[in-house]
């Protein structure tokens, strides 16, 4: 198995596209004055202690002379697709796990006898020709490959030969293992467990108290016995979009406009994926950082934001009252039909949108008009870009966001 990890991807693309930025600290992320977060930092910025997911305000204090940029989603996606094309030209067994990472199965066969290291080196050379670099981990499992890929950056190649898995894993700190978060690490340390080798030898009762039914899987990972194959990612279970505002939203109109904009993003992604869902969720995060959500079950699968908006406005009233300040708004659709069967409502011309709430009526003519509207807006954006067309209410919205570039938004995997 190989894990191919693009080095400081967003920042590297910015340095590629801006030659004057090469060799200088570059930070891709949100505005430090607007609740922004660092998405990616170049290695020059990392030398000052800047890292992904750090508040932008803290990053600015560590590296005040850094070059800041909001990021360019379409450019990152295009280059990521070029990298994935390279990987798939080497083998059909590719599993993209994020915009900048993919597992690749290069197990030798009687037809393909090339050594995995030679394949990894060629992949690095081909990606370097695009103007960016990658680090590669090689091992007998996805767990080994993933951990190995982080050992030598940037443009490193770390090989864990068959039979050396336990020697490689045993001395490593517990946090390098996927599935060991801050809470699990704290509990392990309370029992004197600091390395993966110690997890492998820990009592079953302790592991079950931390990971439950996944305890055996975690022990096997720490022993290098992960046998998970490289396979295409599972079908999407939900499509969502959310935004954090630089300044709290305090009026219904502002919250509704933001929810409308998120619904537009979700609707466009659904249509691009050929999906429609029956579960609509609205999420609000307040100024005190508490989060609440509400959901509705739609009468029929839906993918059109123009039809969903009235229902979202109704749902806002369940989570918000005048005087409450909102800093994040999110919209998601789930409950996709998998067998082609659609439960329809009793009357086609007046379909209640939900089965568990007061109905939002939408006659057939209105539905057709709104479907044509979404088709036209999709066509314009496909030809001229995402920012070529949007509702007037969104003008103030996008100027007031934290401007943070998400690292692994679901639509990068379209």
């Amino acid at each position: 198995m190989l894990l191919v990890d693009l080095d400081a991807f967003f920042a590297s693309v910015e340095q590629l596209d801006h030659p004057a930025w090469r060799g200088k600290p570059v930070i891709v992320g949100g505005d430090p004055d607007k609740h922004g977060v660092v998405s990616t930092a170049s290695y020059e910025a990392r030398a000052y202690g800047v890292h992904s997911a750090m508040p932008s305000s803290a990053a600015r204090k560590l590296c005040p002379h850094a070059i800041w940029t909001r990021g360019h989603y379409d450019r990152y996606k295009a280059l990521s697709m070029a990298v994935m094309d390279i990987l798939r030209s080497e083998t059909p067994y590719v599993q993209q796990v994020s915009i900048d990472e993919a597992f690749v199965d290069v197990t030798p066969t009687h037809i393909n006898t090339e050594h995995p290291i030679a394949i990894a080196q060629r992949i690095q050379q081909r990606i370097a020709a695009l103007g960016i670099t990658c680090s590669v981990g090689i091992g007998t499992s996805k767990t080994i490959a993933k951990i190995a890929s982080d050992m030598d950056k940037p443009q490193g190649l770390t090989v864990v030969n068959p039979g050396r898995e336990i020697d490689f894993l045993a001395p490593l700190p517990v946090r390098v293992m996927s599935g060991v978060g801050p809470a699990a690490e704290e509990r392990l340390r309370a029992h004197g467990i600091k390395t993966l080798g110690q997890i492998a030898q820990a009592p079953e009762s302790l592991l079950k108290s931390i990971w439950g039914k996944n305890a055996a899987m975690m022990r096997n990972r720490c022993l290098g016995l992960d046998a998970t194959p490289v396979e295409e990612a599972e079908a999407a279970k939900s499509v969502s979009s959310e935004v954090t505002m630089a300044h709290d939203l305090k009026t219904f109109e502002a919250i509704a406009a933001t929810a409308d904009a998120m619904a537009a993003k979700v609707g466009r992604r659904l249509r691009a994926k050929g999906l429609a869902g029956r579960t609509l969720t609205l999420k609000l995060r307040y100024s005190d950082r508490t989060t609440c959500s509400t959901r509705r079950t739609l009468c029929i699968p839906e993918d059109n934001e123009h039809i969903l908006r009235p229902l979202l406005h109704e749902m806002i009233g369940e989570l918000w009252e005048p005087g409450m300040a909102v800093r994040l708004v999110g919209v998601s659709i789930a409950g996709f039909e998998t067998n082609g069967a659609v439960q329809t409502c009793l009357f086609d011309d007046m379909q209640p949108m939900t089965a568990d709430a007061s109905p939002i009526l939408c006659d057939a003519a209105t539905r057709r008009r709104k479907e044509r509207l979404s088709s036209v807006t999709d066509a314009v954006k496909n030809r001229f870009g995402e920012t070529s067309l949007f509702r007037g209410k969104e003008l103030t919205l996008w100027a007031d966001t934290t401007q943070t570039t998400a690292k692994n938004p679901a639509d990068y995997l379209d």
Side-chain angles (χ1 to χ4, degrees):
M1 303 287 185
L2 310 182
L3 190 282
V4 178
D5 184 4
L6 301 178
D7 298 319
F9 181 46
F10 292 176
S12 294
V13 176
E14 296 298 336
Q15 290 176 319
L16 171 65
D17 293 346
H18 302 86
W21 295 2
R22 296 173 190 173
K24 299 178 180 179
V26 174
I27 298 175
V28 180
D31 192 323
D33 297 318
K34 296 183 176 182
H35 299 162
V37 175
V38 174
S39 296
T40 306
S42 70
Y43 285 96
E44 295 84 357
R46 295 182 190 189
Y48 291 87
V50 180
H51 59 78
S52 299
M54 170 182 284
S56 296
S57 56
R60 182 169 59 184
K61 292 178 181 178
L62 291 171
C63 190
H65 59 291
I67 299 168
W68 287 79
T69 177
R70 289 179 56 184
H72 302 86
Y73 303 96
D74 291 343
R75 174 63 169 146
Y76 304 152
K77 185 174 180 178
L79 205 50
S80 173
M81 293 174 64
V83 169
M84 297 305 149
D85 286 344
I86 289 173
L87 301 184
R88 293 189 177 98
S89 71
E90 295 286 347
T91 172
Y93 305 109
V94 176
Q95 180 180 344
Q96 184 176 2
V97 293
S98 71
I99 189 173
D100 58 356
E101 284 185 295
F103 287 108
V104 184
D105 189 338
V106 292
T107 304
T109 66
H110 67 282
I111 296 176
N112 179 16
T113 60
E114 189 172 12
H115 198 288
I117 294 178
I119 298 174
Q121 290 173 330
R122 183 168 60 249
I123 287 173
Q124 286 188 309
Q125 292 168 359
R126 295 180 66 185
I127 290 175
L130 298 176
I132 56 176
T133 64
C134 69
S135 297
V136 181
I138 306 179
T140 54
S141 71
K142 290 165 73 173
T143 295
I144 297 289
K146 169 60 179 172
I147 295 175
S149 70
D150 290 326
M151 290 295 172
D152 184 15
K153 285 179 168 290
Q155 207 167 8
L157 178 61
T158 302
V159 182
V160 181
N161 289 310
R164 306 293 297 180
E165 293 86 358
I166 294 179
D167 294 338
F168 171 71
L169 292 171
L172 297 177
V174 296
R175 280 300 298 275
V176 305
M177 179 63 69
S178 174
V180 180
E185 180 182 24
E186 184 177 347
R187 292 195 60 187
L188 290 168
R189 285 186 175 277
H191 289 82
I193 297 175
K194 300 179 181 180
T195 68
L196 298 184
Q198 290 173 319
I199 292 180
Q201 301 301 321
E204 182 178 0
S205 58
L206 173 61
L207 301 187
K208 282 189 174 182
S209 71
I210 298 174
W211 290 294
K213 64 181 181 181
N214 293 321
M217 177 192 70
M218 292 301 296
R219 189 192 300 276
N220 285 339
R221 283 183 176 179
C222 295
L223 290 169
L225 300 177
D226 174 23
T228 307
V230 167
E231 55 191 3
E232 288 296 326
E234 293 182 0
K237 295 182 179 179
S238 68
V239 173
S240 63
S241 185
E242 61 184 40
V243 64
T244 301
M245 308 305 297
H247 301 95
D248 293 338
L249 305 175
K250 298 181 179 179
T251 67
F252 174 85
E253 290 75 17
I255 298 170
T258 308
D260 290 350
M262 296 303 99
K265 283 179 168 288
V266 169
R268 179 157 163 72
R269 292 172 186 171
L270 287 170
R271 293 188 292 274
K273 295 172 181 285
L275 297 172
R278 293 171 56 102
T279 304
L280 173 66
T281 300
L282 173 70
K283 179 173 76 172
L284 299 183
R285 180 170 298 148
Y286 309 105
S287 57
D288 63 359
R289 298 183 183 274
T290 59
T291 303
C292 289
S293 63
T294 184
R295 66 182 57 185
R296 297 290 181 84
T297 301
L298 308 179
C299 184
I300 60 173
E302 191 58 72
D303 66 358
N304 193 309
E305 67 273 16
H306 304 293
I307 295 175
L308 295 175
R309 280 174 179 144
L311 184 54
L312 282 169
H313 294 180
E314 179 183 301
M315 295 164 70
I316 291 172
E318 300 175 15
L319 303 176
W320 178 85
E321 296 178 356
M324 299 174 69
V326 174
R327 61 179 292 148
L328 177 147
V329 178
V331 173
S332 70
I333 287 282
F336 305 128
E337 300 288 347
T338 58
N339 58 6
V342 176
Q343 177 181 343
T344 59
C345 297
L346 183 59
F347 302 105
D348 287 338
D349 286 344
M350 294 292 277
Q351 293 183 338
M353 289 184 58
T354 65
D356 58 354
S358 43
I360 305 296
L361 300 180
C362 179
D363 61 78
T366 300
R367 173 174 288 276
R368 286 193 295 270
R369 185 167 62 253
K370 292 183 176 182
E371 288 174 348
R372 288 197 298 270
L373 178 58
S374 63
S375 296
V376 170
T377 56
D378 285 349
V380 171
K381 290 183 177 182
N382 288 342
R383 182 172 181 180
F384 298 106
E386 291 297 322
T387 60
S388 60
L389 182 66
F390 49 83
R391 303 176 79 223
K393 292 180 180 180
E394 295 179 34
L395 280 170
T396 55
L397 166 67
W398 299 124
D400 196 40
T401 67
T402 63
Q403 303 179 1
T404 299
T405 304
K407 181 71 184 296
N408 299 316
D411 55 318
Y412 281 135
L413 300 182
D414 288 352

